[in-house]
Amino acid sequence: MRIGLAQSNLDNAHEYLTDLSHPASANYGKHWTSEQVIDAFKPSHEAVETVREWLADSGIRGVVQSENKAWLAFHATVKQAESLLRTEYHEYEDQYTGGVMPACEQYHIPKHIQEHIDYITPGVKLLAPGGEGPNTAKRSLAKRHSQSGSRAHSAAQQEKELSHAGSLDRLRGHSPKTQSVAVNAATNLSTCDVTITPACVAALYQIPTGQLAHPNNSLGIFEAELQFWDQADLNSFFTNFTQNIANDTHPVSRLIDGGVAETNYTYEAGGEALLDLELAYPIVYPQTITVWNVDDLNYQLLANDTYTWGFNTLLDAIDGSYCNYTAYGETGNAEGIDPTYPDLVAPLGYNGTLQCGVYKPTNVISLSYGGQEADVPIAYQKRQCNEYLKLGLQGISFLFASGDAGVGSYPAPAGIDGPTGCLGAKGDIFNPTWPNTCPYITNVGATKVYPGKTVYDPESAVYDPAGHPYTQNFSSGGGFSNVYPIPDYQQSAVATFFADHNPSYPHYSALAANASNPVHPNITLLSGATGGIYNRIGRGVPDVAAVGDNIAVYSGGVFKLNGGTSASTPIFAAIINRINEERLAVGKSTLGFLNPTLYAHPEILNDITNGTNPGCGTLGFSAVKGWDPVTGLGTPNYPKMLELFMSLP
């Protein structure tokens, strides 16, 4: 059994991070060590001793405290556990997966102990989202990418893609855009309205050729769901679109809990993995790239593979204290949601133990995956959000793609959020994406160079309407959280947006309560009294943007065009990694959590003032002067960003 102890100073965590991240702070860039993080939030001595005394008085022996100080563990018979907690345990079976877990309907602890305990497990436990039973809540998360359409797959990949809803790769329903490679593609800027090459990206954001390669500054890119890179595609891309990257250049692969990053078979190459790498390499080279590939092929093949556990698997591997960290009634990996290792059941299973703290995190991590806030238990997502805060204290930057369905999600059968992809009884309430709404990550939307425009003209918010040429519309994910309030660094920008560009839609002003259930029921109630379709007091997304359409890639042995906000994210992340390189070269710290500086200095970004992000039967929001919930503060201006960040301590 495990008892999650109430941690100290959690109310101060946001203040701690702001102190290290705001450009006006005297402590800017003075990041903490992992040991300092553990020490700052460890349970109080009073909490530990009071709970130990209670256990001893109850006849419990052999109590040990975890290395991260957050929980006490002990062995107990069923009779001892029932006596300790004045309850009765049963075995509960998930009607969808068949998984069995011990749990109770309720448990009781003495009043003087309650303030010191966050959670006890096994205890009261709803079964996993993903099932069909009365105690389950179905959910699905998806890749933020890939307009490229079909590609050659193994039978296993085809089975998975047919069963997992949400990916643009599957929703677009068309053949890849193909065309001959332009002459002098490595330098040609005349066709950037048709094909975005590395030269176009460099011209859009004034990015010079890289020169530095610090040994401890590799760009991290997260991959999951059978997304493999292959050298043949990388070599084709380097040959046709770059002038300075040698063939056989490739990333470092970090394989977590049986992950597989590379394939020797071009037909198995993943459009997402190669999109990320082929966008990032021309920006960061000669810096290296590290691919974080998570979970064994068994879990990656599951029809209800949600990527939720993928993020948890990554966080476990780069911060051992997270593996058993307690917050919001969740301790460690959630039973029935997260993978269990060793995975001895399936032939593709990873037979080792869960990897906890085995890798040092890269300074920047780009993640092009995610889903909808309403489909993830609130306690589960808030616990994960706290970990981004703690890693931000250690100088790590997380950048997530904002999504490709505007203010909603894709409608059924492609998505799980009903016939419209939106929330509420009428299916018209905006459906914000996750984990983008977590206030401790930087969220990246997408722009586009429209036909007839050049890299010297202002960009517009990306929008490709359904049927032109894609089955579903592609627009930059954005909106307002139903779980998290507007963070302090964003309050002025959001207030200005509402004051100067007030949307015409009815709204509500409330946040969903902390709970283990998904958000759907709460939001129906929140909006019911007003008829509102978006939340006026939620954290706004995205924070920034970058070009995300008509991207030139080689994938599966074929040249094609690709895109999505997952194209925008590695571009912005690579630029941050370049700036880290310059700071490290002069003895300064990495940038860590970006948002306080970005919102304090929006002049370092290119403001986007054209376009919308349709969804839920509306035009969505509009890109306007200043921050907006379509393209955020705007796209990168590398020289201005570099000058500002180099001026900071």
Side-chain angles (χ1 to χ4, degrees), residues 15-32 392-393 395 397 576 579-580 583 587-598 600-601 604 641-649:
E15 181 181 341
Y16 293 154
L17 183 60
T18 300
D19 188 43
L20 303 181
S21 307
H22 196 284
S25 171
N27 291 319
Y28 179 87
K30 295 180 181 179
H31 299 125
W32 295 5
L393 284 169
S397 304
I576 297 302
I579 296 173
N580 276 341
R583 285 179 58 87
K588 295 187 176 186
S589 67
T590 58
L591 297 179
F593 182 45
L594 303 170
N595 293 5
T597 301
L598 295 174
H601 291 280
I604 65 175
M641 293 176 69
L642 180 64
E643 180 181 8
L644 173 67
F645 282 116
M646 291 303 291
S647 72
L648 298 178

Side-chain angles (χ1 to χ4, degrees), residues 552-577:
V553 296
Y554 271 91
S555 172
V558 179
F559 169 72
K560 58 185 75 171
L561 299 185
N562 206 331
T565 53
S566 68
S568 313
T569 307
I571 291 174
F572 208 99
I575 288 172
I576 297 302
N577 216 64

Side-chain angles (χ1 to χ4, degrees), residues 116-192:
H116 301 304
I117 292 180
D118 184 63
Y119 195 58
I120 296 178
T121 184
V124 179
K125 179 72 73 172
L126 292 176
L127 299 186
E132 301 293 348
N135 290 324
T136 63
K138 191 174 181 182
R139 67 194 170 115
S140 176
L141 307 185
K143 292 181 286 187
R144 311 287 200 207
H145 81 292
S146 211
Q147 300 167 28
S148 60
S150 60
R151 61 178 187 271
H153 296 299
S154 66
Q157 285 175 304
Q158 290 173 338
E159 178 182 354
K160 176 177 176 62
E161 292 212 343
L162 287 171
S163 64
H164 184 145
S167 168
L168 286 181
D169 225 3
R170 296 182 286 277
L171 293 177
R172 296 310 182 192
H174 71 287
S175 298
K177 300 180 187 178
T178 60
Q179 61 188 62
S180 59
V181 181
V183 178
N184 299 322
T187 59
N188 181 28
L189 298 179
S190 66
T191 58
C192 294

